[in-house]
Amino acid sequence: MVVVWVLIVVGMGFASQAFLADALTTDIDFTNNPESKQAMQLIEEKITGEQQDTEFFIILHELLPVADPTFEAYVRTVQQEIIALGDEVVAGDVVTYYDVLAASKQTPDPSEQTRLQEQAVSLVSTDGRATLIAVPIVDIEIETVDKLRPISEGNGEGGFRILLAGGATLNADTTEIAEEDLRQSEMIGIGIALVVLIVVFAAVIAAVLPLSIALVAIPISFGAIGLVSAAFGVSFSLFTTNIASSIGLAVGIDYSLFIIARYREERRKGFDPPSAIVAAGATASRAVFFSGLTVVFALLGMLIMPTTIFRSMAAGAIFVVIGSIAASLTLLPALMGLLKDRINWPRLSKRARVEGDHDPKGGFWDRTTNAVMARPVVFLVISVAILGSLASIYFTIDKGTTQSAATLPDEVESKQAFLILSKDFAAGGRTDPVQIYIGGPSTPKLHAAVAELQEAIAADPAFADEAQITAAPGGASLLVSAIPVGDAFGNNTFDGVRRLREEIIPPIFEGTDAEVLVGGMPAIFTDFLAQTDTYQPIVLAFVLSLSFLLLMIVFRSIVVPLKAVIMNLLSVGAAYGAIVLVFQEQSNGFLNAIHHFAIDFFNLIGFQFQEVESIEAWLPLLLFSILFGLSMDYHVFLLSRIREEYDKTGDNTEAVA
């Protein structure tokens, strides 16, 4: 069996090396068809063709104005460096202020001249000492952004400063910071887990074995992700591997710990090693199997969400849980059979002896459990009050997206660039405008409605005064671009999108027979937030129902699964509340003091926590599926063992203790 597992791990390792890199992407897409997706499809089909993502180089000088020949010469040099990157990075013309201004002077069409002059002005800062270079790029992958970054490293030359701004850069910085944080958390988690396992088992091999099982399941899940992508042509979110690693460590360690602990207990009862392995398999392994199913069922809820990021993370997590179950039920017993009592080597404490009492009395947990059982109502009220109070804080959550520059540390270049766009160009969302598709017969009434829409956009506090219009060939369709004045992925812009859809567009275009749809990246994220809110209760109902049915089958009871569902909902709610309390400013003075203390405390011990304006919208749903699955997992462990003892003794108090 060990040889078989070695071959499986090696094979999946090769599959991971061959296919995993191509399987991962930073793109997020809908699997259904919300308004923003419809708008983008029509815009590309009828007006713009396939739209290229655009990044901006911001070039600033403390003294020189943009009109100065020295400034123009420097911009032209940077422009040539960008063009030299070739079609592997650049997808079209690299446009500067000087190019647009020259084109405005050459065109004989007065309206076109006015449009180009307005475009040229938009590429210069309000103080006249900074300009933008627009760079259409082939994609928004991190590799593409990394090829652009060296150009912005020319800061300080001749008093000039260069910053790179845009959705791709923001996404790359957000992803890199998140991945680095996740890697650090995984390393910290492994270290803490190893220390805890050594304390629990008081033996090095017994402590390392659960980690080994987890580290077997993780590469298997990576290989599965790569193979599924290669076979079916689907892509997985870049964060899928991080989720798989974190959950793989959690469940791999838990399942192995439970089985190894039961094996050692059976040895203390006097069973020889083979018999102890069989006894552990008949009890602990059965509990592990059903516990793993509860985690898988909880993760299945994320597949209901019609977005690729949820489905890909759910798939990666399910792969690693299945791998952990399989390794715990087959590889671990095989290793225990080979090691036998050497699993307790080197022994660090008397607790690792096979000759010890299998059911010691008077220990810390024995005393604690008996104290709780002696006053169950008191402890129930206290625990529900604490968990319920924490859970109530969740209802103050402000949901948003980490695509917002406001969530990044101040020293990150893309945040600095956004602040300059917002302050000096009066449009932080220039790189990601809201795009409004208008399709219908060209009539005076429609033209009047479009003009009224431009006025309404200019009057809306979420958008800049300019609302650019692009007509399709033949004029059958129009594209109106509204530029957010602040963060394109901030709540103010999302509110602006909602106002456009609900308050501004319907009355303006009533009776025009025009099809009007709001798209663009801000609208896509607005729809993402809306779908998260819409599907969250559906996912909760699905997961709760499925978990209830599974526990009812396992324990042949209605009260036990009902109690488990309620308890785990309470614990998940408390976890939600703790996240909101730590990371989000509180309106209550007492809670806000706790919030600032928590931030300072975690920063003091090495965690770089910071207050955020909004918490990632998909986080509650992701956490629910993971936390509910894991908490039900532990519930099954405990209840399985309690029922086993109760069946032997008939004493409920003693079985629980």
Side-chain angles (χ1 to χ4, degrees):
M1 180 57 70
V2 175
V3 174
V4 172
W5 272 99
V6 169
L7 293 175
I8 291 173
V9 172
V10 171
M12 285 302 199
F14 279 120
S16 174
Q17 288 289 327
F19 304 119
L20 184 61
D22 293 333
L24 302 178
T25 180
T26 56
D27 285 344
I28 300 174
D29 195 11
F30 295 101
T31 56
N32 59 357
N33 204 28
E35 179 179 338
S36 58
K37 187 174 182 178
Q38 296 175 49
M40 300 312 293
Q41 289 171 342
L42 288 169
I43 289 169
E44 292 188 350
E45 176 186 337
K46 298 188 176 183
I47 302 175
T48 64
E50 184 178 355
Q51 294 192 75
Q52 300 295 337
D53 295 286
T54 301
E55 293 294 286
F56 289 92
F57 281 94
I58 306 173
I59 302 180
L60 314 91
H61 198 283
E62 291 184 2
L63 301 175
L64 295 179
V66 172
D68 190 284
T70 303
F71 204 122
E72 180 177 357
Y74 187 82
V75 170
R76 293 297 188 189
T77 301
V78 174
Q79 182 184 27
Q80 291 305 311
E81 290 181 18
I82 298 168
I83 294 172
L85 293 174
D87 56 11
E88 291 184 358
V89 177
V90 182
D93 295 333
V94 179
V95 179
T96 70
Y97 158 75
Y98 310 103
D99 298 322
V100 178
L101 188 63
S104 71
K105 294 176 180 178
Q106 294 173 3
T107 181
D109 185 347
S111 61
E112 179 67 7
Q113 185 179 57
T114 301
R115 187 189 70 81
L116 289 171
Q117 287 174 345
E118 290 175 351
Q119 183 181 348
V121 170
S122 71
L123 295 175
V124 179
S125 64
T126 53
D127 65 2
R129 293 196 295 271
T131 187
L132 304 176
I133 300 179
V135 185
I137 56 176
V138 293
D139 56 46
I140 60 170
E141 298 298 329
I142 293 175
E143 293 78 7
T144 301
V145 175
D146 287 341
K147 292 174 182 176
L148 290 170
R149 288 192 193 277
I151 294 175
S152 65
E153 293 172 358
N155 289 338
E157 181 182 333
F160 288 96
R161 184 185 179 200
I162 308 175
L163 292 172
L164 183 59
T169 305
L170 180 62
N171 180 67
D173 286 342
T174 301
T175 301
E176 288 172 3
I177 291 171
E179 285 197 307
E180 179 61 28
D181 288 346
L182 285 167
R183 278 193 294 269
Q184 290 181 1
S185 67
E186 287 169 8
M187 295 306 298
I188 293 171
I190 290 174
I192 293 174
L194 183 59
V195 171
V196 170
L197 288 168
I198 289 175
V199 171
V200 169
F201 287 126
V204 174
I205 291 181
V208 171
L209 207 52
L211 276 175
S212 302
I213 296 299
L215 296 176
V216 163
I218 291 170
I220 288 176
S221 69
F222 288 179
I225 291 168
L227 288 174
V228 169
S229 176
F232 300 101
V234 296
S235 296
F236 290 80
S237 167
L238 194 64
F239 293 111
T240 302
T241 53
N242 299 110
I243 293 294
S245 297
S246 300
I247 294 181
L249 284 171
V251 298
I253 290 172
D254 285 343
Y255 298 162
S256 303
L257 185 153
F258 194 57
I259 293 171
I260 292 171
R262 188 57 187 265
Y263 165 77
R264 299 202 329 169
E265 180 182 327
E266 298 300 327
R267 286 288 290 125
R268 291 193 185 99
K269 290 180 180 178
F271 287 97
D272 59 27
S275 300
I277 293 173
V278 171
T283 53
S285 295
R286 179 179 180 274
V288 164
F289 176 74
F290 285 108
S291 297
L293 284 184
T294 63
V295 178
V296 171
F297 284 174
L299 293 169
L300 284 174
M302 287 202 292
L303 296 177
I304 296 174
M305 283 294 298
T307 53
T308 54
I309 186 170
F310 274 107
R311 294 186 174 186
S312 60
M313 288 194 294
I318 289 171
F319 290 154
V320 80
V321 171
I322 292 173
S324 298
I325 295 172
S328 299
L329 299 185
T330 57
L331 175 60
L332 181 59
L335 291 173
M336 290 192 299
L338 292 174
L339 292 169
K340 297 183 174 62
D341 289 339
R342 288 189 295 274
I343 198 172
N344 294 319
W345 185 90
R347 194 171 64 202
L348 305 177
S349 167
K350 294 180 180 179
R351 289 185 292 107
R353 289 179 177 175
V354 175
E355 301 82 14
D357 186 356
H358 76 278
D359 188 18
K361 304 291 184 181
F364 172 78
W365 295 113
D366 184 59
R367 295 195 306 272
T368 301
T369 307
N370 280 301
V372 172
M373 294 290 289
R375 299 174 181 82
V377 176
V378 173
F379 282 96
L380 176 65
V381 171
I382 292 173
S383 59
V384 169
I386 294 173
L387 294 175
S389 298
L390 267 177
S392 67
I393 299 174
Y394 168 71
F395 296 101
T396 66
I397 189 172
D398 288 323
K399 294 180 182 177
T401 171
T402 50
Q403 284 295 109
S404 169
T407 63
L408 295 174
D410 293 339
E411 64 271 14
V412 176
E413 181 180 294
S414 57
K415 181 173 183 177
Q416 298 172 16
F418 159 74
L419 293 174
I420 291 171
L421 283 175
S422 182
K423 176 185 175 184
D424 297 339
F425 291 84
R430 183 177 298 278
T431 59
D432 291 288
V434 175
Q435 297 181 305
I436 304 167
Y437 169 81
I438 303 172
S442 180
T443 63
K445 189 173 184 179
L446 179 62
H447 294 162
V450 172
E452 187 178 349
L453 174 62
Q454 286 182 285
E455 293 175 1
I457 290 172
D460 192 290
F463 303 110
D465 293 342
E466 55 181 302
Q468 300 172 354
I469 295 180
T470 305
S477 303
L478 296 174
L479 167 62
V480 178
S481 298
I483 300 175
V485 294
D487 191 343
F489 303 105
N491 286 328
N492 287 338
T493 302
F494 296 153
D495 289 339
V497 171
R498 296 184 188 103
R499 283 194 297 272
L500 283 171
R501 288 173 170 173
E502 299 167 9
E503 302 172 16
I504 296 175
I505 290 175
I508 290 177
F509 287 88
E510 185 177 2
T512 62
D513 295 327
E515 181 182 20
V516 184
L517 300 171
V518 181
M521 289 305 297
I524 288 173
F525 274 92
T526 303
D527 286 339
F528 179 77
L529 296 177
Q531 292 206 0
T532 301
D533 289 338
T534 299
Y535 280 88
Q536 185 162 320
I538 299 173
V539 173
L540 264 62
F542 173 82
V543 172
L544 294 177
S545 301
L546 212 55
S547 300
F548 179 86
L549 290 174
L550 177 64
L551 292 182
M552 188 170 64
I553 293 170
V554 173
F555 294 107
R556 299 182 181 89
S557 167
I558 293 178
V559 174
V560 169
L562 184 62
K563 174 192 66 67
V565 167
I566 293 172
M567 285 183 61
N568 288 307
L569 273 178
L570 198 59
S571 64
V572 171
Y576 282 177
I579 290 172
V580 176
L581 178 61
V582 171
F583 291 102
Q584 189 174 288
E585 185 177 8
Q586 301 296 309
S587 57
N588 179 279
F590 174 70
L591 293 179
N592 203 43
I594 296 176
H595 157 72
H596 287 293
F597 172 79
I599 290 283
D600 293 340
F601 172 76
F602 283 113
N603 286 338
L604 183 65
I605 61 176
F607 293 93
Q608 298 303 310
F609 284 6
Q610 66 176 25
E611 182 180 290
V612 295
E613 293 182 5
S614 57
I615 291 173
E616 186 66 58
W618 51 262
L619 187 62
L621 194 53
L622 174 68
L623 281 182
F624 172 79
S625 296
I626 294 174
L627 293 180
F628 189 84
L630 292 178
S631 58
M632 289 294 281
D633 185 37
Y634 303 141
H635 220 91
V636 172
F637 284 162
L638 290 171
L639 289 175
S640 297
R641 190 59 193 273
I642 289 170
R643 190 179 74 170
E644 182 185 338
E645 292 300 318
Y646 180 79
D647 289 342
K648 291 178 183 177
T649 64
D651 186 336
N652 182 66
T653 302
E654 185 60 28
V656 173

